[in-house]
Amino acid sequence: MPSLSQKSILLPTTPSQPYRGRFAPTPTGPLHFGSLVAALASYLDAKAHQGVWLLRIEDLDPPREDPSAHALIQQQVEAHGLLWDETLISQSQQSTHYEATLRWLREHGHLFACQCSRSKLKPTQGRHLGRCSFDPGGAPSSSSESDFAWRLSVPDSEWSFHDRVYGEVSQNLLRDVGDQVLKRRDGFYAYQLAVVVDDIQSNISHVVRGADLLDNTARQCYLRACLGAEPLTYLHLPLATNAAGQKLSKQNKAEPLDLNSVSQNLFRALRFLGQQPPSALAQEPSSTILEWGIEHWDTSLIRPSDDGLIN
Ligand code: GLU
């Protein structure tokens, strides 16, 4: 993996630090079974390592959000006995950090302003392959709306990381991924920027999340490296699907978690994660199920699903 030798703007995570994990839902709607799988696995992995587990609401994109989801998600997580440590983080409150990071990246030559339209990028399947020549002049990056986006320039080289379930994953950053938008034309910060900045700010050491994000990880490792931060330890989870084989998602109108069957939900999620709880556990209160889960947590039982594979 290429290395970048630059000073860190933010405190990097060092391998000797204790385990710090997180669950980071986007408030586009209530949590469903697939979200519970990610919440539970990240919680159990943290607690089985005597670690800290944080809840972060990724409310970066108000037009796509459901205003009631912010509170509802917290209620759903709490109702399942998944009690987060420390103060809840909302990305909508983190703009100062995002802005400072953008400014630093810009000063260190990692960003360029881009006016390319979606249709222009159609022939490359939406990927942006190399800096374009648009010059924004002295436009400050803090302007909310502008007629350009800020993109991270990525090198034409392979970046790899080890995933605890999916093994070695490698992508060519330029050809497979393309230059990444970090701040959109509409003034909103991109997920790719926020997730990296927040993981660094919160000193996260381990990421446990759905395999739909596996192909976002190499670019996130690259951005971490630009900022002088070490790669994290990653574990991606197989995706829960509906009867038609589609990933459960808020877009597919996945059923919200039923808070009248919290124990059954947790029990099903444990089984989905390959764990082998005894049937009688499904009748126990959530605290007993979680205790069992922490004590017996075995990530070697998690089977990768095909949908997490990068082609
Ligand atoms: N907010 C993302 C989602 O709900 C998860 C981001 C992450 O865990 O890195 O899919």
Coordinates of all heavy atoms in Angstrom, one line a residue, residues 60 95 98-103 105-106 111-115 139-152 179-194 223:
L60 N -26.6 14.2 7.5 CA -25.8 15.1 6.7 C -26.6 15.7 5.6 O -26.2 16.6 4.9 CB -24.7 14.3 6.0 CG -23.4 14.1 6.7 CD1 -22.5 13.4 5.7 CD2 -22.7 15.4 7.1
S95 N -19.9 20.5 11.5 CA -19.5 21.3 10.3 C -18.1 21.9 10.5 O -17.3 22.0 9.6 CB -20.5 22.4 10.0 OG -21.7 21.8 9.9
Y98 N -15.5 19.5 9.7 CA -15.5 19.2 8.2 C -14.8 20.3 7.5 O -14.0 20.1 6.6 CB -16.9 18.9 7.7 CG -17.6 17.8 8.4 CD1 -19.0 17.9 8.5 CD2 -17.0 16.8 9.0 CE1 -19.7 16.9 9.2 CE2 -17.7 15.8 9.7 CZ -19.1 15.9 9.8 OH -19.8 14.9 10.5
E99 N -15.2 21.5 7.8 CA -14.7 22.7 7.1 C -13.2 22.8 7.3 O -12.4 23.1 6.4 CB -15.4 24.0 7.7 CG -15.7 25.0 6.6 CD -16.2 24.5 5.3 OE1 -17.3 24.0 5.2 OE2 -15.4 24.6 4.4
A100 N -12.7 22.6 8.6 CA -11.3 22.7 8.9 C -10.5 21.6 8.1 O -9.4 21.9 7.6 CB -11.0 22.5 10.4
T101 N -11.1 20.5 8.0 CA -10.4 19.4 7.3 C -10.3 19.7 5.8 O -9.3 19.5 5.1 CB -11.2 18.0 7.5 OG1 -11.3 17.9 8.9 CG2 -10.4 16.9 6.9
L102 N -11.4 20.2 5.2 CA -11.4 20.6 3.8 C -10.4 21.6 3.5 O -9.6 21.6 2.5 CB -12.8 21.1 3.4 CG -13.9 20.1 3.2 CD1 -15.2 20.9 3.0 CD2 -13.6 19.2 2.0
R103 N -10.3 22.6 4.4 CA -9.3 23.7 4.2 C -7.9 23.1 4.2 O -7.1 23.4 3.4 CB -9.5 24.7 5.3 CG -8.9 26.1 4.9 CD -9.3 27.2 6.0 NE -10.6 27.1 6.5 CZ -10.9 26.9 7.8 NH1 -10.0 26.7 8.7 NH2 -12.2 26.9 8.2
L105 N -7.0 20.0 3.6 CA -6.7 19.2 2.4 C -6.5 20.0 1.2 O -5.7 19.7 0.3 CB -8.0 18.3 2.1 CG -8.2 17.1 3.1 CD1 -9.6 16.5 2.9 CD2 -7.1 16.0 2.9
R106 N -7.2 21.1 1.1 CA -7.1 22.0 0.0 C -5.7 22.7 0.0 O -5.0 22.7 -1.0 CB -8.1 23.1 0.1 CG -8.3 23.9 -1.2 CD -9.4 24.9 -1.1 NE -9.2 25.8 -2.2 CZ -9.7 27.1 -2.2 NH1 -10.3 27.5 -1.2 NH2 -9.5 27.8 -3.2
L111 N -7.3 18.6 -2.9 CA -8.6 18.8 -3.4 C -8.6 19.6 -4.7 O -7.6 20.4 -4.9 CB -9.4 19.7 -2.4 CG -9.7 19.1 -1.1 CD1 -10.8 20.0 -0.4 CD2 -10.3 17.7 -1.2
F112 N -9.6 19.4 -5.5 CA -9.7 20.3 -6.6 C -11.2 20.6 -6.8 O -12.1 19.8 -6.4 CB -9.1 19.7 -7.9 CG -9.8 18.5 -8.4 CD1 -10.8 18.5 -9.4 CD2 -9.3 17.2 -7.9 CE1 -11.3 17.3 -9.8 CE2 -9.9 16.1 -8.4 CZ -10.9 16.1 -9.3
A113 N -11.5 21.8 -7.4 CA -12.9 22.2 -7.6 C -13.4 21.6 -8.9 O -12.6 21.5 -9.9 CB -13.0 23.7 -7.7
C114 N -14.6 21.1 -8.9 CA -15.1 20.3 -10.1 C -16.5 20.7 -10.5 O -17.3 20.8 -9.6 CB -15.0 18.9 -9.8 SG -15.7 17.8 -11.0
Q115 N -16.7 21.0 -11.8 CA -18.0 21.3 -12.2 C -18.6 20.3 -13.1 O -19.6 20.5 -13.8 CB -17.9 22.6 -13.0 CG -17.8 23.9 -12.2 CD -18.0 25.1 -13.1 OE1 -17.3 25.2 -14.1 NE2 -18.8 26.0 -12.7
A139 N -12.4 31.4 -4.3 CA -13.6 31.1 -3.6 C -13.4 30.3 -2.3 O -12.7 29.3 -2.4 CB -14.5 30.2 -4.5
P140 N -13.9 30.8 -1.2 CA -13.7 30.1 0.0 C -14.5 28.8 0.1 O -15.6 28.7 -0.4 CB -14.2 31.1 1.1 CG -15.2 31.9 0.4 CD -14.8 32.0 -1.1
S141 N -13.9 27.7 0.7 CA -14.6 26.5 0.7 C -15.8 26.5 1.6 O -16.6 25.6 1.6 CB -13.7 25.3 1.1 OG -13.3 25.5 2.5
S142 N -15.9 27.6 2.4 CA -17.0 27.6 3.4 C -18.3 28.2 2.7 O -19.4 28.2 3.4 CB -16.7 28.4 4.6 OG -16.2 29.7 4.2
S143 N -18.3 28.6 1.5 CA -19.5 29.1 0.8 C -20.5 27.9 0.8 O -20.1 26.8 0.6 CB -19.2 29.6 -0.6 OG -18.7 28.5 -1.3
S144 N -21.7 28.2 1.2 CA -22.6 27.1 1.3 C -23.0 26.5 -0.1 O -22.6 25.4 -0.4 CB -23.9 27.5 2.0 OG -24.4 28.6 1.4
E145 N -23.6 27.3 -0.9 CA -23.9 26.7 -2.3 C -22.9 27.3 -3.3 O -22.6 28.5 -3.2 CB -25.3 27.0 -2.6 CG -26.1 25.7 -2.8 CD -27.5 26.0 -3.1 OE1 -28.3 26.3 -2.2 OE2 -27.8 26.0 -4.3
S146 N -22.5 26.5 -4.2 CA -21.6 27.1 -5.3 C -21.9 26.3 -6.5 O -22.6 25.3 -6.5 CB -20.1 26.9 -4.8 OG -19.9 25.6 -4.6
D147 N -21.2 26.7 -7.6 CA -21.5 25.9 -8.8 C -20.4 24.9 -9.1 O -20.1 24.5 -10.2 CB -21.7 26.9 -10.1 CG -20.5 27.7 -10.3 OD1 -19.6 27.7 -9.4 OD2 -20.4 28.4 -11.3
F148 N -19.8 24.5 -8.0 CA -18.8 23.4 -8.1 C -18.7 22.6 -6.9 O -19.2 23.0 -5.8 CB -17.4 24.0 -8.4 CG -16.9 25.0 -7.4 CD1 -16.2 24.5 -6.3 CD2 -17.1 26.3 -7.5 CE1 -15.7 25.4 -5.3 CE2 -16.7 27.2 -6.5 CZ -16.0 26.7 -5.4
A149 N -18.2 21.4 -7.0 CA -18.0 20.5 -5.9 C -16.5 20.5 -5.6 O -15.7 20.8 -6.4 CB -18.5 19.1 -6.2
W150 N -16.2 20.1 -4.3 CA -14.8 19.8 -4.0 C -14.5 18.3 -4.1 O -15.2 17.6 -3.4 CB -14.4 20.4 -2.6 CG -14.3 21.9 -2.6 CD1 -15.2 22.7 -2.0 CD2 -13.2 22.7 -3.1 NE1 -14.7 24.0 -2.2 CE2 -13.5 24.0 -2.8 CE3 -12.0 22.4 -3.7 CZ2 -12.7 25.1 -3.2 CZ3 -11.2 23.4 -4.1 CH2 -11.5 24.8 -3.8
R151 N -13.5 18.0 -4.9 CA -13.2 16.5 -5.0 C -11.8 16.2 -4.4 O -10.9 17.1 -4.6 CB -13.2 16.1 -6.5 CG -14.6 15.8 -7.0 CD -14.4 15.2 -8.4 NE -15.7 15.2 -9.1 CZ -16.6 14.2 -9.1 NH1 -16.4 13.1 -8.5 NH2 -17.8 14.4 -9.7
L152 N -11.7 15.0 -3.9 CA -10.4 14.5 -3.5 C -9.7 13.9 -4.7 O -10.3 13.0 -5.3 CB -10.6 13.5 -2.4 CG -9.4 12.8 -1.8 CD1 -8.5 13.7 -1.0 CD2 -9.8 11.5 -1.0
D179 N -12.0 10.1 -8.4 CA -11.9 11.2 -7.5 C -13.2 11.4 -6.8 O -14.3 11.5 -7.4 CB -11.5 12.5 -8.3 CG -10.2 12.2 -9.1 OD1 -9.2 11.9 -8.5 OD2 -10.3 12.5 -10.3
Q180 N -13.1 11.5 -5.4 CA -14.3 11.6 -4.6 C -14.8 13.0 -4.3 O -14.0 13.8 -3.9 CB -14.0 10.9 -3.3 CG -13.7 9.4 -3.4 CD -14.9 8.7 -3.9 OE1 -15.9 8.6 -3.3 NE2 -14.9 8.2 -5.2
V181 N -16.1 13.2 -4.4 CA -16.7 14.4 -3.9 C -16.6 14.4 -2.4 O -17.1 13.5 -1.8 CB -18.1 14.6 -4.4 CG1 -18.8 15.8 -3.7 CG2 -18.2 14.7 -5.9
L182 N -16.1 15.5 -1.8 CA -16.1 15.6 -0.4 C -17.0 16.7 0.1 O -17.5 16.7 1.2 CB -14.6 15.9 0.2 CG -13.6 14.8 -0.1 CD1 -12.3 15.1 0.7 CD2 -14.1 13.4 0.3
K183 N -17.2 17.7 -0.8 CA -18.2 18.7 -0.5 C -19.0 18.9 -1.8 O -18.5 19.1 -2.9 CB -17.7 20.0 0.0 CG -18.7 21.0 0.4 CD -18.2 22.2 1.1 CE -19.3 23.0 1.7 NZ -18.8 24.3 2.3
R184 N -20.3 18.8 -1.7 CA -21.2 18.8 -2.9 C -21.5 20.2 -3.3 O -21.3 21.2 -2.5 CB -22.5 18.1 -2.5 CG -22.3 16.6 -2.2 CD -23.4 15.9 -1.6 NE -24.7 16.5 -1.6 CZ -25.8 16.0 -1.0 NH1 -25.7 14.8 -0.4 NH2 -27.0 16.6 -1.1
R185 N -21.9 20.3 -4.6 CA -22.3 21.6 -5.1 C -23.4 22.3 -4.3 O -23.4 23.5 -4.2 CB -22.9 21.5 -6.5 CG -22.0 21.3 -7.6 CD -22.8 20.9 -8.8 NE -21.9 20.6 -9.9 CZ -21.9 21.2 -11.1 NH1 -22.8 22.1 -11.3 NH2 -21.0 20.9 -12.0
D186 N -24.3 21.5 -3.7 CA -25.4 22.1 -3.0 C -25.0 22.5 -1.6 O -25.8 23.0 -0.7 CB -26.6 21.1 -2.9 CG -26.2 19.8 -2.3 OD1 -25.1 19.7 -1.7 OD2 -27.0 18.8 -2.4
G187 N -23.7 22.4 -1.3 CA -23.1 22.9 0.0 C -23.1 21.8 1.1 O -22.5 22.1 2.2
F188 N -23.7 20.6 0.8 CA -23.7 19.6 1.9 C -22.3 18.9 1.8 O -21.7 18.7 0.8 CB -24.8 18.6 1.6 CG -26.2 19.2 1.9 CD1 -27.2 19.1 0.9 CD2 -26.5 19.8 3.1 CE1 -28.4 19.7 1.2 CE2 -27.7 20.4 3.4 CZ -28.7 20.3 2.4
Y189 N -21.9 18.4 3.0 CA -20.7 17.6 3.1 C -21.0 16.2 2.7 O -22.1 15.7 3.0 CB -20.2 17.6 4.6 CG -19.9 19.0 5.0 CD1 -20.8 19.7 5.9 CD2 -18.8 19.7 4.6 CE1 -20.5 21.0 6.3 CE2 -18.5 21.0 4.9 CZ -19.4 21.7 5.8 OH -19.2 23.0 6.2
A190 N -20.1 15.6 2.0 CA -20.3 14.2 1.6 C -20.0 13.2 2.7 O -19.2 13.4 3.6 CB -19.4 13.9 0.4
Y191 N -20.8 12.1 2.6 CA -20.6 11.0 3.6 C -19.1 10.6 3.7 O -18.5 10.4 4.8 CB -21.4 9.8 3.2 CG -20.9 8.5 3.7 CD1 -21.0 8.2 5.1 CD2 -20.4 7.5 2.9 CE1 -20.6 7.0 5.6 CE2 -19.9 6.3 3.4 CZ -20.0 6.1 4.7 OH -19.5 4.9 5.2
Q192 N -18.4 10.5 2.5 CA -17.0 10.1 2.5 C -16.1 11.0 3.4 O -15.1 10.5 3.9 CB -16.4 10.0 1.1 CG -17.2 9.2 0.1 CD -17.2 7.7 0.5 OE1 -16.5 7.2 1.4 NE2 -18.1 6.9 -0.2
L193 N -16.4 12.2 3.4 CA -15.6 13.1 4.3 C -16.0 13.0 5.7 O -15.2 12.8 6.6 CB -15.9 14.6 3.9 CG -15.3 15.7 4.8 CD1 -13.7 15.7 4.6 CD2 -15.9 17.0 4.5
A194 N -17.3 13.0 6.0 CA -17.8 13.0 7.4 C -17.4 11.8 8.1 O -17.0 11.8 9.3 CB -19.3 13.2 7.3
L223 N -8.2 8.5 2.4 CA -8.4 9.8 3.0 C -7.8 9.9 4.4 O -7.2 10.9 4.7 CB -10.0 10.1 3.0 CG -10.3 11.5 3.6 CD1 -9.6 12.6 3.0 CD2 -11.9 11.7 3.4

